[in-house]
């Protein structure tokens, strides 16, 4: 009972009231900063997982595209060889005929 009475008496002093107000203000500021830090951490973790997933997907698509380009170039080369001509795969211009030395 004496401790409770001492607390009530201490709360009547202006200095104690100012210290309690400062404590409340600093607690709110700390909570806001901690919340912002937690939000940044969560966004970082989510973006890391998302970028990892996107990287895996893009690599699979690129691998498939390379295989498709390889198959297409082999098909074009075989077709050109069957016709007896050399064809550039990149700019689609006809090269010189291997036997005649002229463009076809």
């Amino acid at each position: 009972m004496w401790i409770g009475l001492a607390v009530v008496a201490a709360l009547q002093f202006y200095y104690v009231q100012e210290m309690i107000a400062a404590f409340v203000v600093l607690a709110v500021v700390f909570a806001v900063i901690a919340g912002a830090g937690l939000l940044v951490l969560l966004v970082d973790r989510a973006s890391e997982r998302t970028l990892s997933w996107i990287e895996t997907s893009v690599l699979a698509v690129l691998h498939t595209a390379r295989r498709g380009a390889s198959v297409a170039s082999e098909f074009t080369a075989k077709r050109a060889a069957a016709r007896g001509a050399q064809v550039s795969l990149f700019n689609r211009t006809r090269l010189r005929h291997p036997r005649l030395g002229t463009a076809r």
Side-chain angles (χ1 to χ4, degrees):
M1 179 170 153
W2 288 105
I3 295 175
L5 186 60
V7 169
V8 170
L11 287 177
Q12 298 303 316
F13 293 115
Y14 178 75
Y15 179 76
V16 174
Q17 291 175 355
E18 287 293 320
M19 286 293 122
I20 292 173
F23 175 72
V24 169
V25 169
L26 289 177
V28 169
V29 170
F30 177 76
V32 168
I33 292 172
L38 181 63
L39 183 64
V40 168
L41 177 71
L42 291 175
V43 168
D44 180 54
R45 291 281 174 98
S47 66
E48 181 180 327
R49 287 185 178 190
T50 304
L51 289 177
S52 172
W53 177 76
I54 289 173
E55 181 182 11
T56 304
S57 300
V58 167
L59 288 177
V61 169
L62 287 177
H63 182 66
T64 304
R66 284 184 187 145
R67 281 193 314 195
S70 175
V71 168
S73 67
E74 286 179 18
F75 177 72
T76 306
K78 285 180 184 177
R79 190 170 171 206
R83 289 190 337 220
Q86 293 178 349
V87 178
S88 174
L89 297 176
F90 297 109
N91 59 7
R92 296 181 179 260
T93 58
R94 293 187 179 175
L95 301 176
R96 296 189 179 271
H97 191 274
R99 284 180 255 136
L100 300 175
T102 59
R104 247 186 167 184

